[in-house]
Short mmCIF file of all heavy atoms in Angstrom, two decimals:
data_model
loop_
_atom_site.label_atom_id
_atom_site.label_comp_id
_atom_site.label_asym_id
_atom_site.label_seq_id
_atom_site.Cartn_x
_atom_site.Cartn_y
_atom_site.Cartn_z
N MET N 1 13.16 10.61 10.61
CA MET N 1 12.66 9.80 9.53
C MET N 1 13.79 8.98 8.94
O MET N 1 14.91 9.46 8.82
CB MET N 1 12.01 10.67 8.47
CG MET N 1 10.80 11.39 8.99
SD MET N 1 9.63 12.00 7.78
CE MET N 1 9.31 10.65 6.75
N HIS N 2 13.45 7.78 8.54
CA HIS N 2 14.44 6.85 8.00
C HIS N 2 14.09 6.59 6.53
O HIS N 2 13.55 5.55 6.18
CB HIS N 2 14.42 5.55 8.78
CG HIS N 2 14.73 5.74 10.22
ND1 HIS N 2 16.02 5.75 10.68
CD2 HIS N 2 13.94 5.95 11.30
CE1 HIS N 2 16.01 5.95 11.99
NE2 HIS N 2 14.74 6.08 12.38
N LEU N 3 14.43 7.54 5.68
CA LEU N 3 14.07 7.42 4.27
C LEU N 3 15.02 6.52 3.49
O LEU N 3 14.83 6.32 2.30
CB LEU N 3 14.04 8.81 3.63
CG LEU N 3 13.02 9.78 4.23
CD1 LEU N 3 13.11 11.13 3.56
CD2 LEU N 3 11.62 9.22 4.10
N ASP N 4 16.00 5.94 4.16
CA ASP N 4 16.95 5.05 3.49
C ASP N 4 16.56 3.59 3.61
O ASP N 4 17.33 2.71 3.23
CB ASP N 4 18.35 5.26 4.06
CG ASP N 4 18.41 4.98 5.56
OD1 ASP N 4 17.34 4.99 6.19
OD2 ASP N 4 19.51 4.76 6.08
N GLN N 5 15.36 3.30 4.09
CA GLN N 5 14.89 1.93 4.25
C GLN N 5 14.25 1.45 2.94
O GLN N 5 13.17 1.90 2.58
CB GLN N 5 13.86 1.85 5.38
CG GLN N 5 14.37 2.22 6.72
CD GLN N 5 15.31 1.17 7.27
OE1 GLN N 5 15.16 -0.01 7.00
NE2 GLN N 5 16.30 1.61 8.02
N PRO N 6 14.89 0.52 2.22
CA PRO N 6 14.32 0.08 0.94
C PRO N 6 13.01 -0.68 1.10
O PRO N 6 12.15 -0.61 0.22
CB PRO N 6 15.41 -0.81 0.33
CG PRO N 6 16.32 -1.16 1.45
CD PRO N 6 16.19 -0.09 2.49
N ILE N 7 12.83 -1.38 2.21
CA ILE N 7 11.58 -2.13 2.39
C ILE N 7 10.40 -1.18 2.57
O ILE N 7 9.29 -1.46 2.12
CB ILE N 7 11.70 -3.14 3.56
CG1 ILE N 7 10.52 -4.10 3.59
CG2 ILE N 7 11.79 -2.44 4.89
CD1 ILE N 7 10.57 -5.14 2.53
N GLY N 8 10.64 -0.03 3.19
CA GLY N 8 9.58 0.97 3.33
C GLY N 8 9.14 1.52 1.98
O GLY N 8 7.95 1.71 1.73
N TRP N 9 10.11 1.78 1.11
CA TRP N 9 9.79 2.27 -0.23
C TRP N 9 9.07 1.19 -1.05
O TRP N 9 8.17 1.49 -1.83
CB TRP N 9 11.03 2.75 -0.95
CG TRP N 9 11.55 4.02 -0.38
CD1 TRP N 9 12.69 4.21 0.33
CD2 TRP N 9 10.90 5.31 -0.43
NE1 TRP N 9 12.79 5.52 0.71
CE2 TRP N 9 11.73 6.21 0.26
CE3 TRP N 9 9.72 5.77 -0.99
CZ2 TRP N 9 11.39 7.56 0.39
CZ3 TRP N 9 9.39 7.11 -0.86
CH2 TRP N 9 10.23 7.98 -0.16
N LEU N 10 9.47 -0.07 -0.86
CA LEU N 10 8.81 -1.16 -1.56
C LEU N 10 7.35 -1.27 -1.12
O LEU N 10 6.45 -1.43 -1.96
CB LEU N 10 9.54 -2.47 -1.29
CG LEU N 10 9.02 -3.69 -2.01
CD1 LEU N 10 9.20 -3.54 -3.51
CD2 LEU N 10 9.74 -4.92 -1.53
N PHE N 11 7.10 -1.18 0.18
CA PHE N 11 5.72 -1.19 0.68
C PHE N 11 4.93 -0.03 0.10
O PHE N 11 3.77 -0.17 -0.27
CB PHE N 11 5.69 -1.11 2.20
CG PHE N 11 6.08 -2.38 2.90
CD1 PHE N 11 6.55 -2.33 4.20
CD2 PHE N 11 5.97 -3.61 2.30
CE1 PHE N 11 6.91 -3.48 4.86
CE2 PHE N 11 6.31 -4.77 2.95
CZ PHE N 11 6.79 -4.71 4.24
N PHE N 12 5.55 1.13 0.02
CA PHE N 12 4.88 2.32 -0.49
C PHE N 12 4.54 2.16 -1.97
O PHE N 12 3.45 2.55 -2.41
CB PHE N 12 5.75 3.55 -0.25
CG PHE N 12 5.06 4.84 -0.55
CD1 PHE N 12 4.02 5.29 0.24
CD2 PHE N 12 5.46 5.63 -1.62
CE1 PHE N 12 3.36 6.47 -0.03
CE2 PHE N 12 4.81 6.82 -1.90
CZ PHE N 12 3.77 7.24 -1.11
N ILE N 13 5.42 1.56 -2.76
CA ILE N 13 5.17 1.35 -4.19
C ILE N 13 4.03 0.35 -4.37
O ILE N 13 3.15 0.54 -5.23
CB ILE N 13 6.46 0.88 -4.89
CG1 ILE N 13 7.45 2.04 -4.96
CG2 ILE N 13 6.16 0.35 -6.28
CD1 ILE N 13 8.83 1.65 -5.41
N VAL N 14 4.00 -0.70 -3.55
CA VAL N 14 2.90 -1.67 -3.62
C VAL N 14 1.58 -0.99 -3.27
O VAL N 14 0.54 -1.26 -3.89
CB VAL N 14 3.18 -2.87 -2.70
CG1 VAL N 14 1.96 -3.77 -2.58
CG2 VAL N 14 4.37 -3.66 -3.20
N ALA N 15 1.59 -0.08 -2.30
CA ALA N 15 0.38 0.65 -1.95
C ALA N 15 -0.09 1.54 -3.10
O ALA N 15 -1.29 1.66 -3.35
CB ALA N 15 0.61 1.49 -0.69
N LEU N 16 0.84 2.15 -3.81
CA LEU N 16 0.47 2.97 -4.97
C LEU N 16 -0.14 2.12 -6.08
O LEU N 16 -1.10 2.55 -6.73
CB LEU N 16 1.69 3.73 -5.49
CG LEU N 16 2.16 4.88 -4.63
CD1 LEU N 16 3.40 5.52 -5.24
CD2 LEU N 16 1.07 5.92 -4.46
N VAL N 17 0.40 0.94 -6.32
CA VAL N 17 -0.20 0.03 -7.30
C VAL N 17 -1.59 -0.39 -6.83
O VAL N 17 -2.52 -0.52 -7.64
CB VAL N 17 0.72 -1.19 -7.53
CG1 VAL N 17 0.03 -2.24 -8.38
CG2 VAL N 17 2.02 -0.76 -8.18
N GLY N 18 -1.77 -0.54 -5.52
CA GLY N 18 -3.08 -0.86 -4.97
C GLY N 18 -4.09 0.26 -5.20
O GLY N 18 -5.26 0.00 -5.45
N VAL N 19 -3.63 1.51 -5.13
CA VAL N 19 -4.52 2.65 -5.41
C VAL N 19 -4.99 2.58 -6.86
O VAL N 19 -6.16 2.80 -7.16
CB VAL N 19 -3.81 3.99 -5.12
CG1 VAL N 19 -4.61 5.16 -5.65
CG2 VAL N 19 -3.57 4.14 -3.63
N TRP N 20 -4.07 2.25 -7.76
CA TRP N 20 -4.43 2.09 -9.17
C TRP N 20 -5.46 0.97 -9.33
O TRP N 20 -6.42 1.09 -10.09
CB TRP N 20 -3.16 1.82 -9.98
CG TRP N 20 -3.44 1.51 -11.41
CD1 TRP N 20 -3.87 2.38 -12.38
CD2 TRP N 20 -3.32 0.23 -12.03
NE1 TRP N 20 -4.02 1.70 -13.56
CE2 TRP N 20 -3.68 0.39 -13.38
CE3 TRP N 20 -2.94 -1.02 -11.58
CZ2 TRP N 20 -3.68 -0.67 -14.27
CZ3 TRP N 20 -2.93 -2.06 -12.47
CH2 TRP N 20 -3.30 -1.89 -13.80
N ALA N 21 -5.28 -0.12 -8.59
CA ALA N 21 -6.21 -1.24 -8.66
C ALA N 21 -7.58 -0.86 -8.10
O ALA N 21 -8.61 -1.30 -8.62
CB ALA N 21 -5.65 -2.43 -7.90
N VAL N 22 -7.60 -0.06 -7.04
CA VAL N 22 -8.88 0.41 -6.49
C VAL N 22 -9.63 1.24 -7.53
O VAL N 22 -10.82 1.04 -7.76
CB VAL N 22 -8.66 1.22 -5.19
CG1 VAL N 22 -9.91 2.00 -4.81
CG2 VAL N 22 -8.24 0.32 -4.05
N LEU N 23 -8.94 2.15 -8.16
CA LEU N 23 -9.58 3.00 -9.17
C LEU N 23 -10.08 2.17 -10.34
O LEU N 23 -11.17 2.41 -10.87
CB LEU N 23 -8.61 4.08 -9.64
CG LEU N 23 -8.21 5.10 -8.57
CD1 LEU N 23 -7.15 6.06 -9.12
CD2 LEU N 23 -9.42 5.85 -8.07
N ARG N 24 -9.30 1.20 -10.76
CA ARG N 24 -9.69 0.34 -11.87
C ARG N 24 -10.91 -0.51 -11.50
O ARG N 24 -11.81 -0.72 -12.30
CB ARG N 24 -8.52 -0.54 -12.27
CG ARG N 24 -8.76 -1.33 -13.50
CD ARG N 24 -7.51 -2.02 -13.96
NE ARG N 24 -7.84 -2.84 -15.11
CZ ARG N 24 -7.00 -3.62 -15.71
NH1 ARG N 24 -5.76 -3.70 -15.29
NH2 ARG N 24 -7.35 -4.33 -16.74
N SER N 25 -10.93 -1.02 -10.27
CA SER N 25 -12.06 -1.83 -9.82
C SER N 25 -13.33 -0.99 -9.69
O SER N 25 -14.43 -1.47 -9.98
CB SER N 25 -11.74 -2.48 -8.48
OG SER N 25 -10.67 -3.37 -8.61
N LEU N 26 -13.18 0.25 -9.24
CA LEU N 26 -14.34 1.14 -9.18
C LEU N 26 -14.88 1.43 -10.57
O LEU N 26 -16.10 1.50 -10.78
CB LEU N 26 -13.97 2.44 -8.47
CG LEU N 26 -13.88 2.37 -6.95
CD1 LEU N 26 -13.32 3.68 -6.42
CD2 LEU N 26 -15.23 2.08 -6.35
N LYS N 27 -13.97 1.63 -11.53
CA LYS N 27 -14.37 1.93 -12.90
C LYS N 27 -15.15 0.77 -13.51
O LYS N 27 -16.14 0.97 -14.20
CB LYS N 27 -13.13 2.24 -13.73
CG LYS N 27 -13.40 2.59 -15.15
CD LYS N 27 -12.11 2.88 -15.89
CE LYS N 27 -12.35 3.02 -17.37
NZ LYS N 27 -11.08 3.16 -18.10
N LYS N 28 -14.69 -0.47 -13.23
CA LYS N 28 -15.35 -1.65 -13.79
C LYS N 28 -16.49 -2.16 -12.90
O LYS N 28 -17.15 -3.13 -13.26
CB LYS N 28 -14.34 -2.76 -14.01
CG LYS N 28 -13.34 -2.45 -15.09
CD LYS N 28 -12.46 -3.64 -15.35
CE LYS N 28 -11.54 -3.35 -16.52
NZ LYS N 28 -10.77 -4.54 -16.89
N ARG N 29 -16.67 -1.55 -11.73
CA ARG N 29 -17.72 -1.92 -10.77
C ARG N 29 -17.62 -3.37 -10.33
O ARG N 29 -18.61 -4.09 -10.28
CB ARG N 29 -19.09 -1.63 -11.34
CG ARG N 29 -19.32 -0.17 -11.59
CD ARG N 29 -20.68 0.10 -12.11
NE ARG N 29 -20.77 1.49 -12.51
CZ ARG N 29 -21.89 2.17 -12.48
NH1 ARG N 29 -23.00 1.60 -12.10
NH2 ARG N 29 -21.90 3.43 -12.85
N GLN N 30 -16.40 -3.79 -9.99
CA GLN N 30 -16.17 -5.12 -9.48
C GLN N 30 -15.86 -5.01 -8.00
O GLN N 30 -14.88 -4.38 -7.60
CB GLN N 30 -15.00 -5.78 -10.21
CG GLN N 30 -15.25 -5.97 -11.69
CD GLN N 30 -14.04 -6.48 -12.41
OE1 GLN N 30 -12.93 -6.35 -11.93
NE2 GLN N 30 -14.26 -7.07 -13.57
N MET N 31 -16.66 -5.64 -7.17
CA MET N 31 -16.54 -5.47 -5.73
C MET N 31 -15.50 -6.40 -5.10
O MET N 31 -14.82 -6.00 -4.16
CB MET N 31 -17.89 -5.70 -5.05
CG MET N 31 -18.89 -4.61 -5.33
SD MET N 31 -18.24 -3.04 -4.74
CE MET N 31 -18.65 -1.98 -6.08
N PHE N 32 -15.37 -7.62 -5.59
CA PHE N 32 -14.41 -8.55 -4.99
C PHE N 32 -12.97 -8.05 -5.13
O PHE N 32 -12.24 -7.98 -4.14
CB PHE N 32 -14.60 -9.94 -5.61
CG PHE N 32 -13.85 -11.02 -4.90
CD1 PHE N 32 -14.21 -11.39 -3.61
CD2 PHE N 32 -12.80 -11.66 -5.50
CE1 PHE N 32 -13.53 -12.39 -2.95
CE2 PHE N 32 -12.11 -12.66 -4.85
CZ PHE N 32 -12.47 -13.03 -3.57
N PRO N 33 -12.54 -7.65 -6.34
CA PRO N 33 -11.17 -7.09 -6.43
C PRO N 33 -11.04 -5.76 -5.70
O PRO N 33 -9.95 -5.42 -5.22
CB PRO N 33 -10.94 -6.89 -7.93
CG PRO N 33 -12.02 -7.59 -8.62
CD PRO N 33 -13.12 -7.82 -7.65
N LEU N 34 -12.12 -5.02 -5.60
CA LEU N 34 -12.08 -3.74 -4.89
C LEU N 34 -11.74 -3.94 -3.42
O LEU N 34 -10.94 -3.19 -2.86
CB LEU N 34 -13.42 -3.02 -5.03
CG LEU N 34 -13.56 -1.70 -4.29
CD1 LEU N 34 -12.62 -0.66 -4.87
CD2 LEU N 34 -14.98 -1.22 -4.33
N VAL N 35 -12.31 -4.97 -2.81
CA VAL N 35 -12.04 -5.25 -1.40
C VAL N 35 -10.57 -5.61 -1.20
O VAL N 35 -9.91 -5.09 -0.30
CB VAL N 35 -12.97 -6.37 -0.88
CG1 VAL N 35 -12.55 -6.83 0.50
CG2 VAL N 35 -14.41 -5.91 -0.87
N PHE N 36 -10.05 -6.49 -2.03
CA PHE N 36 -8.66 -6.90 -1.90
C PHE N 36 -7.70 -5.74 -2.19
O PHE N 36 -6.68 -5.58 -1.52
CB PHE N 36 -8.35 -8.08 -2.82
CG PHE N 36 -8.79 -9.38 -2.25
CD1 PHE N 36 -9.92 -10.00 -2.72
CD2 PHE N 36 -8.08 -9.98 -1.22
CE1 PHE N 36 -10.34 -11.19 -2.20
CE2 PHE N 36 -8.50 -11.18 -0.68
CZ PHE N 36 -9.64 -11.79 -1.17
N ALA N 37 -8.03 -4.91 -3.17
CA ALA N 37 -7.18 -3.76 -3.49
C ALA N 37 -7.21 -2.74 -2.35
O ALA N 37 -6.18 -2.17 -1.99
CB ALA N 37 -7.62 -3.13 -4.79
N ALA N 38 -8.38 -2.52 -1.78
CA ALA N 38 -8.48 -1.58 -0.67
C ALA N 38 -7.71 -2.08 0.56
O ALA N 38 -7.03 -1.30 1.23
CB ALA N 38 -9.95 -1.34 -0.32
N LEU N 39 -7.81 -3.38 0.84
CA LEU N 39 -7.04 -3.95 1.94
C LEU N 39 -5.54 -3.84 1.69
O LEU N 39 -4.76 -3.59 2.61
CB LEU N 39 -7.43 -5.41 2.17
CG LEU N 39 -8.80 -5.63 2.80
CD1 LEU N 39 -9.14 -7.12 2.83
CD2 LEU N 39 -8.86 -5.04 4.18
N THR N 40 -5.14 -4.01 0.44
CA THR N 40 -3.72 -3.86 0.08
C THR N 40 -3.26 -2.44 0.33
O THR N 40 -2.18 -2.22 0.89
CB THR N 40 -3.52 -4.24 -1.40
OG1 THR N 40 -3.90 -5.59 -1.59
CG2 THR N 40 -2.08 -4.05 -1.81
N VAL N 41 -4.05 -1.47 -0.08
CA VAL N 41 -3.67 -0.07 0.11
C VAL N 41 -3.57 0.26 1.60
O VAL N 41 -2.60 0.88 2.04
CB VAL N 41 -4.68 0.87 -0.58
CG1 VAL N 41 -4.45 2.31 -0.18
CG2 VAL N 41 -4.61 0.71 -2.07
N ILE N 42 -4.53 -0.20 2.37
CA ILE N 42 -4.52 0.10 3.81
C ILE N 42 -3.34 -0.56 4.49
O ILE N 42 -2.57 0.09 5.22
CB ILE N 42 -5.85 -0.33 4.45
CG1 ILE N 42 -6.99 0.54 3.94
CG2 ILE N 42 -5.77 -0.28 5.97
CD1 ILE N 42 -8.36 0.03 4.29
N LEU N 43 -3.15 -1.85 4.24
CA LEU N 43 -2.11 -2.61 4.94
C LEU N 43 -0.71 -2.18 4.51
O LEU N 43 0.14 -1.84 5.34
CB LEU N 43 -2.31 -4.10 4.70
CG LEU N 43 -1.46 -5.02 5.54
CD1 LEU N 43 -1.87 -4.89 7.00
CD2 LEU N 43 -1.64 -6.44 5.07
N PHE N 44 -0.44 -2.19 3.22
CA PHE N 44 0.90 -1.84 2.75
C PHE N 44 1.19 -0.36 2.93
O PHE N 44 2.33 0.03 3.16
CB PHE N 44 1.07 -2.25 1.28
CG PHE N 44 1.40 -3.70 1.11
CD1 PHE N 44 0.40 -4.63 0.90
CD2 PHE N 44 2.70 -4.14 1.15
CE1 PHE N 44 0.68 -5.96 0.74
CE2 PHE N 44 3.01 -5.47 0.99
CZ PHE N 44 1.99 -6.39 0.78
N GLY N 45 0.16 0.48 2.82
CA GLY N 45 0.36 1.90 3.07
C GLY N 45 0.75 2.16 4.52
O GLY N 45 1.67 2.93 4.81
N TRP N 46 0.07 1.50 5.44
CA TRP N 46 0.38 1.65 6.86
C TRP N 46 1.80 1.19 7.17
O TRP N 46 2.57 1.89 7.81
CB TRP N 46 -0.62 0.88 7.71
CG TRP N 46 -0.23 0.81 9.14
CD1 TRP N 46 0.36 -0.23 9.77
CD2 TRP N 46 -0.35 1.85 10.11
NE1 TRP N 46 0.59 0.09 11.08
CE2 TRP N 46 0.17 1.36 11.32
CE3 TRP N 46 -0.85 3.14 10.07
CZ2 TRP N 46 0.21 2.12 12.47
CZ3 TRP N 46 -0.82 3.89 11.22
CH2 TRP N 46 -0.30 3.38 12.41
N PHE N 47 2.15 -0.01 6.71
CA PHE N 47 3.48 -0.53 6.99
C PHE N 47 4.57 0.27 6.27
O PHE N 47 5.67 0.45 6.80
CB PHE N 47 3.58 -2.01 6.62
CG PHE N 47 2.97 -2.91 7.64
CD1 PHE N 47 1.88 -3.70 7.31
CD2 PHE N 47 3.45 -2.96 8.93
CE1 PHE N 47 1.30 -4.53 8.24
CE2 PHE N 47 2.87 -3.78 9.88
CZ PHE N 47 1.79 -4.56 9.53
N GLY N 48 4.28 0.77 5.08
CA GLY N 48 5.25 1.59 4.37
C GLY N 48 5.55 2.89 5.09
O GLY N 48 6.71 3.27 5.29
N ILE N 49 4.50 3.57 5.50
CA ILE N 49 4.68 4.84 6.21
C ILE N 49 5.33 4.61 7.57
O ILE N 49 6.25 5.34 7.97
CB ILE N 49 3.32 5.56 6.36
CG1 ILE N 49 2.85 6.03 4.98
CG2 ILE N 49 3.42 6.74 7.32
CD1 ILE N 49 1.43 6.54 4.95
N ALA N 50 4.90 3.57 8.29
CA ALA N 50 5.49 3.27 9.59
C ALA N 50 6.96 2.91 9.47
O ALA N 50 7.78 3.30 10.30
CB ALA N 50 4.73 2.15 10.27
N THR N 51 7.33 2.17 8.43
CA THR N 51 8.73 1.80 8.23
C THR N 51 9.57 3.02 7.89
O THR N 51 10.69 3.16 8.39
CB THR N 51 8.85 0.75 7.11
OG1 THR N 51 8.07 -0.39 7.45
CG2 THR N 51 10.29 0.31 6.93
N LEU N 52 9.05 3.90 7.07
CA LEU N 52 9.81 5.10 6.71
C LEU N 52 9.94 6.06 7.89
O LEU N 52 10.93 6.77 8.00
CB LEU N 52 9.17 5.80 5.51
CG LEU N 52 9.28 5.04 4.19
CD1 LEU N 52 8.51 5.77 3.10
CD2 LEU N 52 10.73 4.85 3.79
N ILE N 53 8.96 6.09 8.77
CA ILE N 53 9.04 7.00 9.91
C ILE N 53 9.89 6.42 11.02
O ILE N 53 10.77 7.09 11.55
CB ILE N 53 7.61 7.34 10.42
CG1 ILE N 53 6.88 8.21 9.41
CG2 ILE N 53 7.69 8.04 11.78
CD1 ILE N 53 5.45 8.48 9.75
N PHE N 54 9.63 5.16 11.38
CA PHE N 54 10.29 4.58 12.56
C PHE N 54 11.51 3.75 12.23
O PHE N 54 12.21 3.31 13.14
CB PHE N 54 9.29 3.73 13.35
CG PHE N 54 8.15 4.54 13.89
CD1 PHE N 54 6.86 4.34 13.44
CD2 PHE N 54 8.37 5.53 14.83
CE1 PHE N 54 5.81 5.08 13.91
CE2 PHE N 54 7.32 6.29 15.32
CZ PHE N 54 6.04 6.06 14.86
N GLY N 55 11.78 3.46 10.97
CA GLY N 55 13.01 2.76 10.59
C GLY N 55 12.97 1.27 10.75
O GLY N 55 13.99 0.65 11.04
N GLY N 56 11.84 0.65 10.56
CA GLY N 56 11.78 -0.81 10.61
C GLY N 56 11.34 -1.34 11.95
O GLY N 56 10.60 -0.69 12.69
N ILE N 57 11.82 -2.52 12.29
CA ILE N 57 11.44 -3.18 13.54
C ILE N 57 12.06 -2.47 14.72
O ILE N 57 13.26 -2.24 14.73
CB ILE N 57 11.86 -4.66 13.50
CG1 ILE N 57 11.20 -5.37 12.33
CG2 ILE N 57 11.53 -5.35 14.81
CD1 ILE N 57 11.71 -6.75 12.08
N PRO N 58 11.28 -2.10 15.72
CA PRO N 58 11.85 -1.42 16.89
C PRO N 58 12.80 -2.34 17.67
O PRO N 58 12.56 -3.54 17.75
CB PRO N 58 10.66 -1.05 17.74
CG PRO N 58 9.45 -1.49 17.03
CD PRO N 58 9.84 -2.21 15.80
N ALA N 59 13.83 -1.77 18.20
CA ALA N 59 14.82 -2.56 18.95
C ALA N 59 14.38 -2.76 20.39
O ALA N 59 13.68 -2.03 20.97
CB ALA N 59 16.16 -1.88 18.92
#
């Protein structure tokens, strides 16, 4: 694991903010922001975890 990659941590923090946005959108029952927040969580979460595990762009 490459836990020293700052871009991976940045992606992970953005994914956490996206989780907060998903919960807020569910609470207010707004579907358009919910879709964008869910896509943010999926995309940034995937890239964050992949960056922390594999260490960025493969050589």
Side-chain angles (χ1 to χ4, degrees):
M1 296 200 50
H2 300 273
L3 298 178
D4 59 341
Q5 298 288 328
I7 191 75
W9 289 111
L10 183 64
F11 285 157
F12 189 68
I13 290 170
V14 171
L16 288 178
V17 172
V19 169
W20 174 71
V22 165
L23 294 176
R24 187 171 177 184
S25 296
L26 282 172
K27 181 180 171 186
K28 292 186 175 186
R29 296 182 188 209
Q30 297 174 340
M31 290 300 136
F32 191 67
L34 177 66
V35 170
F36 280 104
L39 288 174
T40 299
V41 170
I42 292 168
L43 190 66
F44 279 93
W46 170 260
F47 281 117
I49 291 170
T51 302
L52 291 175
I53 291 174
F54 297 114
I57 301 171

